[in-house]
Amino acid sequence: MHTEPSSRHIERHLTNLLPSEALEDHAEDVGVVEREGKLQLPPLVWSFAFGFAAGESRTLAAFRRTYNSTADESLSPGGFYQRLTPTLAAYLRDLVEYGFDEVAVPHTVSEEFDRFRDVMIADGTVLRLHELLSEAYKARHEEQAGAKLHLLHNVTDQTVEHFSVTDEKTHDSTLFSTGSWLEGRLAIFDLAYFKYRRFALIDENGGYFVSRLKKSANPVVTEELREWRGRAIPLEGEKIFDIVDDLSRKYIDVEVEVEFDRREYAGTQSRDTKRFRVVGVRNEDADDYHLYITNLSREEFLPADLATIYRCRWEVELLFRELKTQYELDEFDTTKKHIVEILLYAALLSLVVSRDLLGLVIEHADDGIVFPPERWAATFRSHAQLILRELREYLAYSPPPLLQRLIEDAQKIHKQRPILQEQLATTIQPAAEA
């Protein structure tokens, strides 16, 4: 049942998420700015969050203009740029981490996932950077620079459980840690995270997993979990990829035994085995099977259910697409590492605010209304400037008059750098006089 939103509902909601006093106190604690300084932290934070969503271009100059239209006092280009420091990057990262911890969108996944505490998807995406950053962000190929954003996406709450930024060469798999936090949760992996020891630890911690089966793994079938009538090819004792091309059945449902190394302890490493379930769903168009490995039981999840579950990975692909298309995450034209980080965390802060408002919208909408993620992202972006303006009024900031800001933004900055019209006049005038 929806509730009628009151005036200023959005502004109160956002300032409850990121209270001004908390923004200022943390900035002072980490040394971003002194309390008596000219820079106003709440307008700066909101300018990054909404400026990234609303701006036609994601340039530093555009962010400065957004800040100047929000804060009480304008900052000159030099005054703005000198405040873009590694300390500010770390501060914004703190806000993103805090925001993702606080944001929770109402339950949006299918009923078939109700038995899990959460459905989690781990994935990463590459951001191409300026080649002069190749030392700070090593890429897979020489003469390139690339960062990688790793996300642990909570499909249940439609938010991000954990994120990290590394160079492109860092493997996704090293960023996923197992532990008791997995109890009752379902983790969905692509082949970048494939590791038998990881699957064993998830199972031993009371968690669940579904992953594509890597062809090089090729485990031995120990038992068929579904009987086939007639002259069906027996699978028991066979390696799954050695026999799969000879099969024509709609589904494969077997138990396999896998062998793996335990973590080294006291200088020795033991070998262990574990049994998991492998499911195959025939893809008639390609005349092959999609093969998955899991610890979910056949009693609760049929082969077709496993294929449906795995398609949830599309959720994180949509998330990356939102970051890259709506917020242009991979278009960073800078040679400074900390500026890359500031812009990256600003984009993630936009995502935090977007998800937080989506939760508010769902709360006040009629039951049964669906908000597709990409449509919501486009809606949020189209309204970002209006929300920022109303937030500025709610927080009682009074920016300088528009005419004054136009004069400040449009005037020539560097006296030693003549503008094009002056260069043309200087060149043409002597020729005309002659």
Side-chain angles (χ1 to χ4, degrees), residues 28-88:
E28 191 171 17
D29 289 343
V30 300
V32 171
V33 65
E34 297 178 1
R35 189 172 288 276
E36 300 303 320
K38 183 179 179 182
L39 182 67
Q40 294 176 298
L41 258 297
L44 182 69
V45 170
W46 294 120
S47 295
F48 273 123
F50 286 101
F52 224 106
E56 291 302 315
S57 64
R58 277 60 170 180
T59 64
L60 296 180
F63 283 116
R64 182 180 70 87
R65 286 192 289 270
T66 303
Y67 172 84
N68 285 347
S69 68
T70 308
D72 288 331
E73 292 185 63
S74 296
L75 286 177
S76 67
F80 182 76
Y81 301 148
Q82 72 180 12
R83 288 168 168 82
L84 305 180
T85 63
T87 305
L88 177 62

Side-chain angles (χ1 to χ4, degrees), residues 69-126:
S69 68
T70 308
D72 288 331
E73 292 185 63
S74 296
L75 286 177
S76 67
F80 182 76
Y81 301 148
Q82 72 180 12
R83 288 168 168 82
L84 305 180
T85 63
T87 305
L88 177 62
Y91 171 78
L92 291 176
R93 181 189 172 90
D94 289 346
L95 297 187
V96 173
E97 287 185 338
Y98 169 80
F100 280 136
D101 285 343
E102 292 297 308
V103 170
V105 176
H107 186 72
T108 56
V109 296
S110 303
E111 291 182 2
E112 63 205 50
F113 296 113
D114 282 346
R115 71 166 309 246
F116 304 113
R117 182 153 61 108
D118 290 301
V119 179
M120 316 296 294
I121 304 173
D123 207 351
T125 190
V126 174

Side-chain angles (χ1 to χ4, degrees), residues 288-319:
D288 64 3
Y289 288 91
H290 291 158
L291 290 169
Y292 309 96
I293 186 168
T294 184
N295 64 341
L296 296 177
S297 69
R298 175 176 171 77
E299 288 72 29
E300 291 184 89
F301 296 93
L302 296 174
D305 297 329
L306 270 292
T308 300
I309 286 172
Y310 193 80
R311 281 198 289 272
C312 274
R313 275 195 53 78
W314 182 238
E315 290 276 345
V316 78
E317 298 298 333
L318 289 175
L319 192 62

Side-chain angles (χ1 to χ4, degrees), residues 325-342:
T325 58
Q326 297 293 336
Y327 307 137
E328 298 177 11
L329 185 66
D330 56 350
E331 297 185 18
F332 295 150
D333 188 19
T334 177
T335 60
K336 292 182 169 58
K337 180 176 182 289
H338 68 277
I339 298 296
V340 169
E341 292 171 354
I342 286 172

Side-chain angles (χ1 to χ4, degrees), residues 1 4 7 9 20 54 63 68 97 101 170 183 189 208 223 230 247 264 274 291 294 372 385 387 393 418 422:
M1 193 72 177
E4 195 67 33
S7 61
H9 206 109
S20 294
F63 283 116
N68 285 347
E97 287 185 338
D101 285 343
T170 299
E183 184 177 358
F189 301 110
Y208 306 92
E223 181 184 354
L247 303 177
E264 186 175 316
K274 205 164 181 71
L291 290 169
T294 184
Q385 287 183 336
I387 297 171
E393 294 171 359
E422 292 176 345

